[in-house]
């Protein structure tokens, strides 16, 4: 059974800092890994999707890496802003389903 | 292009009452998913449809939950009767196909509160 773990569960940083969110998974037989953002009371917004054959994806200030063999992914956020405050979820796709972690709740303070 | 549409956005009911949620996927997406998200947790799959066929409903509590996707487009998820523990966010997602490389796109969710 695939298990996805995200560390830390919560993080508070001052504006402007670079930060890294971590995601680990137990079964490396994945199709892809996705990072989502979720604002309070809202649905999921897809940030980056990394196919199993890829090592990283970038979008603006976000960079996600994937090391499938070790079961790890990181989401790097550069020059954090208060608007980045949200919960970040990673999810891994196997043949049968998308399995989510419990998320990292990020707060960027002024 | 419109994303995944869900309604209602919020629903408050008393326990033992029935409730229904509606989802319209992205046009052309054959695969539709219903997820349950409890507070502080990641979403968990309830049911997956390929067109009008439910191909994975192993996590759907069939004693009180039911779903349908009659014409292979929009879908309805029903709970009857609702229990206090059903309070959660119900998310709908869709993808072009069920293959693992297809990205899933999520709707805004329906937040259910059972009193």
């Amino acid at each position: 059974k695939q298990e996805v773990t995200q560390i830390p569960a919560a993080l508070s940083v001052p504006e402007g800092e670079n930060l890294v969110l971590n995601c680990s998974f137990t079964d490396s037989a994945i199709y892809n890994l996705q990072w989502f953002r979720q604002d309070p009371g809202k649905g999921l917004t897809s940030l980056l999707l990394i196919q199993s054959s890829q090592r990283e994806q970038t979008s603006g200030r976000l960079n996600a890496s994937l090391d499938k063999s070790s079961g790890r992914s990181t989401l790097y956020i550069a020059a954090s802003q208060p608007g980045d405050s949200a919960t970040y979820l990673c999810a891994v796709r196997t043949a049968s389903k998308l399995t989510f972690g419990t998320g990292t709740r990020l707060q960027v303070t002024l | 292009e419109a994303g995944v549409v869900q309604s209602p956005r919020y629903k408050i009911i008393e326990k033992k009452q029935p409730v229904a949620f509606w989802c319209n996927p992205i046009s052309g997406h054959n695969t539709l998913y219903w997820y349950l998200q409890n507070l502080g947790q990641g979403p968990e799959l309830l049911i997956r449809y390929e067109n009008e066929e439910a191909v994975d409903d192993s996590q759907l509590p069939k004693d009180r939950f039911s779903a349908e996707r009659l014409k292979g487009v929009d879908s309805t998820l029903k709970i009857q009767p609702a229990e206090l523990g059903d309070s959660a966010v119900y998310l709908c997602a869709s993808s072009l196909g069920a293959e693992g490389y297809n990205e899933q796109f999520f709707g805004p969710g329906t937040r259910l509160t059972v009193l």
Side-chain angles (χ1 to χ4, degrees), chain A residues 6-13 20-21 86-87 102-107:
Chain A
Q6 292 188 245
I7 295 174
L11 181 64
S12 181
V13 300
V20 174
L21 308 181
T87 295
T102 54
T104 294
R105 191 170 64 255
L106 172 67
Q107 183 172 6

Side-chain angles (χ1 to χ4, degrees), chain A residues 31-32 34 36 38-49 51 87 89 93-103 105, chain B residues 9-10 33 35 37 40-45 48 56 59 89 91 95 97-109 111:
Chain A
Y31 279 90
N32 55 56
Q34 225 169 330
F36 293 90
Q38 187 171 34
D39 293 285
K42 306 289 186 181
L44 304 179
T45 300
S46 181
L47 298 173
L48 291 164
L49 182 147
Q51 299 290 357
T87 295
L89 293 156
R93 179 66 194 264
T94 57
S96 59
K97 61 190 287 186
L98 190 64
T99 303
F100 286 82
T102 54
R105 191 170 64 255
Chain B
R9 291 295 315 280
Y10 305 92
Y33 312 79
Y35 287 86
Q37 186 178 23
Q41 302 295 314
E44 296 181 354
L45 181 69
R48 173 168 62 97
D56 183 358
Q59 301 302 311
V89 176
L91 294 163
S95 63
E99 294 82 5
Y101 50 79
N102 284 301
E103 184 174 357
Q104 292 184 26
F105 297 85
F106 284 78
R111 180 175 295 276

